[in-house]
Amino acid sequence: MELVGLGAWALVAAEWLAVGCLSGLSWPDDAFWAARWALWLLSGAFLTGLAQLLLAVVGIGFSSVPLVLVVGAIIALATRLLTGSHHTSMSSHHTSMSEQLEVAPRERITWLGLAAVLMAATVRSFVVPEAGWDAFSHWGLKAQAFALTGQIVDAKTVHEYYPPLVPLLEAWLSLHRGEVSIDFMKLVWPLVGGAFAICLAWHVRVAIGKHAVNGDDGEAFDAE
Amino acid sequence: MWRMRFGLGVLALWAVVSLARLTRLFEAPEAPPGQEAAPLLSFLRTEIPPDAGYLFVLPGEFGADTGLGPRLRYELYPRTYDDVRATQDEGTVRALMRSEQLRYVVVADASQYPAGHWLRNAPAWLRRVDFGANQYVLEVVS
């Protein structure tokens, strides 16, 4: 991938992180930085997609990146107010994994294994071209139509009734790059998929940790 | 207690399946669908105006497609796409094209159709524009 595309990809990741951070959504207890960032990225992607959807519904469209970000930030702040979430990255409540959260060596190895798998998947997604029939027949086709028009339009696919979040996220990346390419648009998925995997793993950790604290077979999991 | 054990069992099973599927990271990449028509795409974009509609005649039966239809649909957007099976007779296809206001037929590889097929003989209502011997566009002229 050329430098401009990589910059657009990084910018989208940073925007989603910022919007997610602004929403104040956080894990119930302490979480190390990757889990917090993953949650912010996922929630930021969703809220940005929601902003695109709202702007499309009212007829303004989402061609203007700054406008979408402003609306996304407003929705994020509203989320913060409604949920009463006030934790941010600046809060001393959150720490890096190595600082305050006590992590057993076996768990540390598991996290490193997950990180290695996600890195490998990300690298592969950058070098392997899109080959999915569904990507060409509707997901990528819709994303192309959305990116070219800045609106949610009828792309004449056979699955127009599918919810528009997936193509909206792909179109968002395209808008940053300034051109449409199915191989480039699919690169939102290492971000979203990686964040989802980390959130899922952290969720499992929280669930297991809760049982461990309650004394349910806790010794079996090396929970702290 | 039993819920905890059940949950852990599911997690363990999931972990085993995930580990077994790690081979996906190292598999040879699949070719994009309809890759055989890649050299033809810029020709098609030139010949078919963006506001026009085109038809693609799927050469095989259901289940034997090569993915060329979805590939054409994506690559030639915003041109209107429609498709029919090769078993459809010429009269039916002509009526469909008229009702759907489709002006072009894309032929990515004529050798995939039977020798006597109407697509290979270019009937009088269609004008043939060649890219190659077996790759061409048919335009409705009457």
Side-chain angles (χ1 to χ4, degrees):
Chain A
M1 185 203 294
E2 79 284 18
L3 211 55
V4 178
L6 199 60
W9 186 75
L11 186 59
V12 164
E15 288 168 0
W16 284 348
L17 277 173
V19 172
C21 180
L22 210 53
S23 74
L25 293 173
S26 62
W27 294 96
D29 301 311
D30 254 359
F32 83 110
W33 66 269
R36 274 182 289 134
W37 286 31
L39 182 62
W40 288 340
L41 197 140
L42 275 190
S43 51
F46 176 77
L47 293 174
T48 306
L50 189 58
Q52 290 174 266
L53 179 65
L54 288 175
L55 287 167
V57 166
V58 299
I60 297 172
F62 46 81
S63 294
S64 167
V65 170
L67 180 61
V68 173
L69 288 176
V70 167
V71 175
I74 292 169
I75 300 172
L77 287 172
T79 305
R80 174 183 284 252
L81 288 173
L82 288 172
T83 59
S85 304
H86 301 294
H87 298 310
T88 69
S89 60
M90 298 299 136
S91 168
S92 60
H93 184 66
H94 297 292
T95 58
S96 72
M97 183 182 252
S98 59
E99 286 171 354
Q100 290 182 16
L101 284 176
E102 293 177 24
V103 178
R106 273 194 292 175
E107 185 186 333
R108 191 177 294 274
I109 291 168
T110 306
W111 280 107
L112 288 173
L114 178 63
V117 169
L118 294 179
M119 286 295 290
T122 301
V123 169
R124 183 177 168 92
S125 71
F126 272 74
V127 296
V128 171
E130 179 61 78
W133 285 31
D134 284 358
F136 285 93
S137 72
H138 48 280
W139 296 122
L141 179 58
K142 281 186 183 182
Q144 175 178 224
F146 292 2
L148 290 175
T149 59
Q151 295 280 358
I152 296 178
V153 292
D154 183 353
K156 303 279 193 299
T157 71
V158 291
H159 298 299
E160 283 303 306
Y161 55 90
Y162 282 1
L165 182 61
V166 165
L168 278 175
L169 297 185
E170 291 195 357
W172 184 242
L173 183 58
S174 259
L175 287 171
H176 284 69
R177 175 67 185 86
E179 69 177 38
V180 176
S181 154
I182 200 164
D183 286 323
F184 180 64
M185 290 192 296
K186 73 177 167 58
L187 295 179
V188 294
W189 303 115
L191 287 173
V192 174
F196 184 81
I198 292 170
C199 282
L200 197 60
W202 192 260
H203 185 76
V204 168
R205 185 192 191 276
V206 169
I208 289 177
K210 197 179 293 176
H211 282 277
V213 169
N214 291 339
D216 300 345
D217 285 357
E219 69 283 359
F221 318 116
D222 262 350
E224 299 303 320
Chain B
M1 180 74 79
W2 69 268
R3 282 198 312 176
M4 184 66 173
R5 290 188 190 284
F6 177 75
L8 283 173
V10 171
L11 275 178
L13 182 64
W14 186 14
V16 168
V17 172
S18 300
L19 284 173
R21 296 295 287 166
L22 281 180
T23 52
R24 290 281 293 163
L25 290 173
F26 309 103
E27 284 175 358
E30 295 172 35
Q35 190 65 0
E36 67 274 19
L40 184 68
L41 295 173
S42 58
F43 164 76
L44 295 174
R45 288 191 197 102
T46 307
E47 288 300 322
I48 306 174
D51 60 346
Y54 64 100
L55 183 77
F56 177 59
V57 180
L58 297 158
E61 290 302 314
F62 182 76
D65 295 330
T66 63
L68 185 52
R71 181 67 180 270
L72 288 173
R73 184 193 285 255
Y74 173 80
E75 299 287 355
L76 299 183
Y77 181 85
R79 298 159 184 86
T80 304
Y81 169 94
D82 205 346
D83 57 38
V84 293
R85 294 279 165 197
T87 47
Q88 293 281 311
D89 65 86
E90 183 185 335
T92 306
V93 170
R94 189 177 185 185
L96 172 76
M97 292 185 68
R98 188 179 293 128
S99 66
E100 298 297 322
Q101 297 181 315
L102 306 174
R103 283 173 45 205
Y104 297 86
V105 182
V106 170
V107 182
D109 183 1
S111 66
Q112 292 184 327
Y113 304 95
H117 197 274
W118 60 270
L119 270 184
R120 298 184 67 166
N121 300 324
W125 58 283
L126 294 169
R127 180 177 71 93
R128 178 169 158 167
V129 183
D130 282 337
F131 175 75
N134 284 319
Q135 296 175 306
Y136 47 87
V137 167
L138 299 171
E139 182 183 5
V140 175
V141 289
S142 63

